[in-house]
Amino acid sequence: PQIVDRALALANAVKLNENEAATLARLFGQKDVTAWLFEQRNVELVAITRGARGAMLSTERERVEHPGFPLSSSNGDPVGAGDAFSAALSLELCRKSPLSVCLERANRYAAHVASRAGGMPSAADYKY
């Protein structure tokens, strides 16, 4: 808990999956991890991914949710989808895109990666 707490104290953006958010809640005795990160750790942005059910992106002033995209193939696997989500989210945040656009594009790219086998499929056939 001490290492995680120190890392969170240095972060201004945090991406968690649902299991990680539940673990933080348990470790730090919090019912609402997102509110706790804003209020007690001065985090500016929280992303919580929900696998095939999409994700949520929050700041203190705005919260957007996206239901996710269906996979384009049943031959894929989820390995790498979280990293793909983080990469696309980071790119869109750097572009200063609206949160809804950031979340939509991050979900779309994560679904693309999860639709392919392996953790790093080629992006050559990916259409933004």
Side-chain angles (χ1 to χ4, degrees):
Q2 291 175 335
I3 293 170
V4 172
D5 195 40
R6 289 190 68 192
L8 291 172
L10 298 171
N12 54 6
V14 175
K15 182 264 182 198
L16 305 163
N17 64 39
E18 288 179 304
N19 291 336
E20 293 164 340
T23 298
L24 275 186
R26 191 176 62 255
L27 279 176
F28 296 102
Q30 300 298 315
K31 289 184 182 181
D32 185 342
V33 170
T34 301
W36 175 73
L37 288 168
F38 292 140
E39 295 164 10
Q40 301 297 317
R41 297 299 174 264
N42 298 316
V43 170
E44 297 173 24
L45 180 99
V46 177
I48 299 180
T49 57
R50 300 173 178 148
R53 295 183 286 95
M56 179 269 302
L57 191 58
S58 294
T59 66
E60 283 192 274
R61 293 187 199 120
E62 185 178 2
R63 177 181 170 142
V64 293
E65 296 193 43
H66 192 282
F69 290 96
L71 301 184
S72 61
S73 169
S74 62
N75 296 328
D77 65 60
V79 173
D83 291 334
F85 180 95
S86 296
L89 177 62
S90 297
L91 174 65
E92 293 305 324
L93 289 170
C94 288
R95 289 178 171 168
K96 299 192 184 303
S97 298
L99 289 186
S100 60
V101 172
C102 293
L103 188 56
E104 183 268 333
R105 290 184 176 165
N107 271 291
R108 183 180 304 279
Y109 191 54
H112 168 77
V113 169
S115 294
R116 309 297 188 278
M120 290 185 59
S122 172
D125 64 340
Y126 178 68
K127 305 262 190 282
Y128 225 154

